[in-house]
Amino acid sequence: MSLTADEVRKIAYLARLSIQEENIQTYADKLSGILDLVAQMEAVGTDQVEPMAHPQHMTQRLREDVVTESNQRDKFQAIAPATEAGLYLVPKVIE
Amino acid sequence: MAWETVIGLEIHAQLATKSKIFSGASTAYGAEPNTQACAVDLALPGVLPVLNKEAVRMAVKFGLALDAIVPSRSVFARKNYFYPDLPQGYQISQFDLPIVANGHLDITLENGDTKRIGVTRAHLEQDAGKSLHEDFHGLTGIDLNRAGTPLLEIVSEPDIRNAKEAVAYMKKIHALVQYLHICDGNMAEGSFRCDANVSVRPLGQEEFGTRTEIKNLNSFRFVERAINYEVERQIDLLESGGEVVQETRLFDSDKGETRSMRSKEEANDYRYFPCPDLLPVEITEELLNEVRETLPELPDAKRQRFISEFGLSEKDASEISANRDIAEYFEQVATGSGEAKMAANWIMGDLSAHLNKEDMAISNCPVSAQTLTVLIQRITDKTISGKIAKDIFPDLWAGEADVDALIESKGLKQITDTGAIEAMIAEVLAQNPSQVEEFRAGKEKLMGFFVGQVMKASKGKANPGQVNEILRKLLKA
C-alpha cells in the first residue's frame, strides 16, 4: 500500500505538523513502508488472539471519587503566555 | 412525494461524581474560572489519568437499568482533534469497546402506543473546557473547570421517526439518569444535552438519506424545534433538486433555524486509537452484582404500580413517576393520607405551581410530605373544606408546619353543626326574598347563588355538602 503526496499533506494538517514540500515524497515512502509491514502482518492467523489494548497484561486500577486537588491557578497561570480575569487567553477561535 | 424522517440522538449526561473522571479536581458547578483545573486537566507534561471508580459504577448502573450488555472488558481510546478548550489535543473517550452496549428503552407515543428505541451504546468520556468569545482584545478566553468532567454519551439507534418521538425518548433518558442518581439532569447548566442526527428518505425506501448532525441542544423545546426545522430544510432542498450535505449544524434558538458549522468540517477525522495511558477496564461479576443491588425501582415499574396500587390514571401516574423525588413524596402522602387521588392532585396542582414559581426542586420544598398528609387528612375528616385547604396552603409554604395549630389559630374549623348552618341559611333566604320566589317558581339555577351566599356568610367554613342538603330542604319547604 502506498500513500500519495496528498494523503501525507492531509495527515500533516490533521496533526498540525509543518512539513517541507521537498520532503513529502520521503515521508510518503517511509509511511508506506510502515503500512506495508502492517499488511504483511495481516497474513498471520490471529483468530484465537484477543486484541491487545495495552502491552501490559493488567487491568485499570480505579481511584476513589474524592476531591484531592486544591486550587493552584496562580502557579499554573504564572507559566501561561496570556491570562485575564482567571482565563487563559488564546488566539481567537470562532464557531 | 411522501418523506420519512430518520433520527438518532447522542445524549451527553454529565455524571454526578464529586471529582473528575481522570483527576482529583472538583466538578462543582459555578466556581471561579480555572480554579478547578489541575495539572491533569491542563495536560501538563508528565501527568497520567487515573480512572474514577464512581464514574465506572454510574455507567454500569445505567447499562443495567437499560437491560443492556455491560461487557467484562472495555477500553479507552483517544479521539484526536485540536481546539483550545481541549489541552490534551485529544479527548479520552471510548470507541470500539464501550462500557455499555445494546440496550433499549420503551417510549409512549402520543396515541398511547409504546415504541421501543434501541440504545446502540453508552460510553465514558471526558468533557472539554469552555471558550468565551467575548472580546478579550481580540483573543478568546478559556475556562478549563469543566475539562475532565465525566460524561456518559448515550447513542440511540436511528429508530426515531419524528421530533415528538425524539423529545419523548430524551425525556425518558433524562428521567432515568436522575432516577439512578447518576446525573443531576440540569439542562440550563449543561449537565444534560444532546446532538441530533437527522435525515429524510422517500417513504418506503430502505436506504438512509444523507444526514446532518445538529450539535448541543440543551432543552427539549430546542430539540423539537431544531429537528422540525431541519427536516423541512432537507425536504425543501431535495424537492427543489438539491442535495443534503453531510455536515455539522448549529441551532440558532433566536432565529429558530439551523446553520452550517463549517469550522468542524475538516476536523472530522479523529484517528481513534487505544489510549496508552489507560489499561483496559475490567467489570467483574462482583461489581455487576453490587451495582445491581443499588438499582432503584425504575420509572416504568413505578408508573405501573401507581396505577395498580393507588388507582391513578395513566396520565397522572406518568407525570408523577417521571421524577423520582416527586414519586417518593407522592407515595408518602398517598400512603399516609390514604387518599392517592387527592395526593396526586395536590402535588400536580398547588404544590407544583409553587415549586415552578420559585424554580425549586421538590427536595427543597418547604411543605413536607408529612404536612401535606395532615392537610389532606383534615379535608377528609371534614375539619376543613378543600377550599379552605387551598387558602391556607400559602401559609404552609411560608413555613407553618403544624396544620392543626394553623386551623385553630385562624379559626378555620369547618362548621358542621346543622343548627348553625340552618341559621345562616335562614338569614340568607330572608335577605334575598325575590331570588327565593324565583327559585320556587322553577329557576333551579339559583341554587348556586344561594350556596355561594351561605359559603360567603360562613367565610368559607360551612361544610359545602351540608349547605347543599339543608338549602334544598329549606327552599322546598
Side-chain angles (χ1 to χ4, degrees):
Chain A
M1 170 161 183
S2 71
L3 285 172
T4 64
D6 271 349
E7 284 168 324
V8 171
R9 282 190 201 98
K10 188 186 174 200
I11 294 165
Y13 172 74
L14 287 171
R16 299 295 189 275
L17 293 175
S18 156
I19 54 173
Q20 304 298 319
E21 195 61 28
E22 66 261 31
N23 294 334
I24 288 181
Q25 196 49 54
T26 314
Y27 291 135
D29 292 344
K30 289 190 171 170
L31 289 171
S32 298
I34 295 172
L35 294 178
D36 287 342
L37 182 63
V38 173
Q40 201 181 330
M41 288 193 292
E42 272 179 1
V44 182
T46 54
D47 294 355
Q48 306 302 314
V49 182
E50 189 187 1
M52 183 177 73
H54 198 280
Q56 279 173 301
H57 276 282
M58 289 165 68
T59 53
Q60 180 62 37
R61 274 187 54 191
L62 304 177
R63 206 187 85 238
E64 292 299 322
D65 180 28
V66 180
V67 175
T68 52
E69 294 287 341
S70 55
N71 173 20
Q72 298 190 73
R73 185 175 74 181
D74 291 346
K75 277 188 192 164
F76 294 137
Q77 297 205 332
I79 54 167
T83 62
E84 187 177 315
L87 300 164
Y88 295 92
L89 296 187
V90 299
K92 191 146 194 133
V93 278
I94 279 289
E95 282 295 303
Chain B
M1 187 189 290
W3 297 92
E4 181 180 45
T5 303
V6 177
I7 301 164
L9 293 188
E10 294 169 12
I11 294 175
H12 288 89
Q14 185 178 311
L15 295 176
T17 55
K18 296 185 192 73
S19 64
K20 294 190 178 172
I21 184 167
F22 298 122
S23 83
S26 170
T27 55
Y29 181 81
E32 284 287 301
N34 292 307
T35 55
Q36 291 176 172
C38 70
V40 173
D41 307 323
L42 296 178
L44 291 186
V47 298
L48 281 173
V50 188
L51 183 57
N52 186 332
K53 188 190 224 168
E54 199 52 34
V56 172
R57 294 178 65 104
M58 287 177 172
V60 168
K61 202 170 176 181
F62 179 78
L64 293 176
L66 274 193
D67 212 2
I69 294 169
V70 181
S72 60
R73 184 166 172 274
S74 94
V75 171
F76 282 94
R78 289 185 180 178
K79 176 180 177 177
N80 299 279
Y81 68 93
F82 288 102
Y83 206 72
D85 58 21
L86 185 76
Q88 288 164 164
Y90 55 83
Q91 178 192 31
I92 303 178
S93 180
Q94 298 192 292
F95 189 53
D96 53 348
L97 295 166
I99 193 157
V100 171
N102 288 331
H104 58 81
L105 195 72
D106 293 334
I107 59 168
T108 308
L109 305 181
E110 273 188 326
N111 63 6
D113 287 353
T114 299
K115 176 170 176 175
R116 177 155 290 189
I117 307 291
V119 177
T120 318
R121 55 186 279 150
H123 62 254
L124 283 167
E125 63 184 25
Q126 53 180 182
D127 206 346
K130 238 164 59 185
S131 303
L132 299 150
H133 300 291
E134 291 94 71
D135 198 27
F136 292 100
H137 336 289
L139 299 172
T140 293
I142 304 289
D143 176 7
L144 295 169
N145 280 349
R146 203 179 61 188
T149 298
L151 297 178
L152 188 66
E153 177 171 334
I154 304 155
V155 183
S156 85
E157 289 286 317
D159 291 342
I160 300 165
R161 290 290 169 269
N162 57 54
K164 286 233 164 15
E165 285 182 24
V167 172
Y169 167 81
M170 192 177 173
K171 280 190 170 163
K172 195 114 190 216
I173 295 274
H174 188 243
L176 183 63
V177 294
Q178 291 181 84
Y179 252 76
L180 298 172
H181 288 164
I182 63 172
C183 174
D184 67 16
N186 190 325
M187 297 172 85
E189 290 177 7
S191 303
F192 190 87
R193 52 193 198 262
C194 114
D195 303 339
N197 287 296
V198 180
S199 66
V200 298
R201 62 182 171 190
L203 192 64
Q205 179 180 303
E206 190 81 16
E207 200 186 324
F208 291 136
T210 306
R211 68 184 156 84
T212 60
E213 182 179 12
I214 316 167
K215 282 270 181 204
N216 268 332
L217 298 163
N218 65 351
S219 88
F220 298 123
R221 208 161 46 90
F222 290 172
V223 168
E224 185 166 349
R225 285 172 58 203
I227 290 174
N228 283 333
Y229 175 88
E230 184 58 18
V231 167
E232 210 169 302
R233 188 190 71 89
Q234 291 187 12
I235 292 174
D236 284 351
L237 204 56
L238 294 169
E239 288 190 339
S240 60
E243 261 179 45
V244 175
V245 180
Q246 184 168 344
E247 62 180 356
T248 306
R249 299 179 70 86
L250 264 186
F251 178 63
D252 182 333
S253 56
D254 292 330
K255 293 191 181 137
E257 60 184 37
T258 65
R259 60 182 151 81
S260 184
M261 226 171 119
R262 292 178 212 287
S263 64
K264 290 251 167 170
E265 283 326 287
E266 276 207 272
N268 241 341
D269 187 343
Y270 294 126
R271 296 150 292 138
Y272 281 95
F273 63 87
C275 181
D277 286 344
L278 289 156
L279 291 154
V281 180
E282 187 188 21
I283 307 295
T284 60
E285 268 307 308
E286 195 187 349
L287 177 71
L288 285 177
N289 289 332
E290 218 179 283
V291 175
R292 203 173 272 124
E293 292 281 302
T294 67
L295 276 184
E297 182 183 33
L298 298 176
D300 282 346
K302 229 184 239 312
R303 191 187 69 229
Q304 283 310 325
R305 189 165 60 78
F306 284 175
I307 293 169
S308 61
E309 194 176 315
F310 292 112
L312 291 192
S313 68
E314 173 78 35
K315 189 174 161 290
D316 290 358
S318 290
E319 192 171 331
I320 296 229
S321 64
N323 175 301
R324 182 171 167 185
D325 292 333
I326 290 178
E328 284 170 2
Y329 186 103
F330 160 77
E331 199 157 356
Q332 281 184 52
V333 179
T335 311
S337 66
E339 294 289 338
K341 181 64 195 158
M342 268 172 95
N345 287 344
W346 273 92
I347 290 166
M348 294 185 297
D350 289 66
L351 191 78
S352 288
H354 277 77
L355 289 172
N356 289 341
K357 205 173 124 206
E358 306 206 10
D359 195 20
M360 190 186 273
I362 198 160
S363 48
N364 298 321
C365 179
V367 180
S368 70
Q370 178 56 32
T371 302
L372 185 58
T373 302
V374 176
L375 185 67
I376 290 175
Q377 282 169 338
R378 292 301 162 266
I379 302 170
T380 48
D381 68 15
K382 298 198 164 58
T383 307
I384 54 173
S385 65
K387 167 83 174 61
I388 294 278
K390 274 180 177 298
D391 289 346
I392 65 171
F393 188 78
D395 294 306
L396 301 175
W397 185 269
E400 183 60 63
D402 189 335
V403 175
D404 290 323
L406 186 65
I407 293 170
E408 194 64 51
S409 71
K410 292 205 155 193
L412 296 173
K413 241 177 137 157
Q414 189 161 244
I415 301 165
T416 51
D417 172 32
T418 315
I421 295 176
E422 274 181 3
M424 280 187 278
I425 291 175
E427 207 179 315
V428 167
L429 298 186
Q431 280 163 4
N432 301 283
S434 59
Q435 281 90 342
V436 172
E437 228 166 274
E438 283 176 53
F439 181 88
R440 287 183 174 147
K443 201 170 171 190
E444 296 249 348
K445 272 202 314 217
L446 280 168
M447 190 66 187
F449 164 77
F450 291 121
V451 173
Q453 290 298 310
V454 176
M455 292 309 289
K456 202 169 140 195
S458 76
K459 299 192 175 64
K461 292 189 290 184
N463 177 297
Q466 282 173 290
V467 169
N468 262 291
E469 195 182 312
I470 299 170
L471 247 177
R472 221 165 264 286
K473 199 176 75 192
L474 292 182
L475 280 168
K476 296 258 156 84

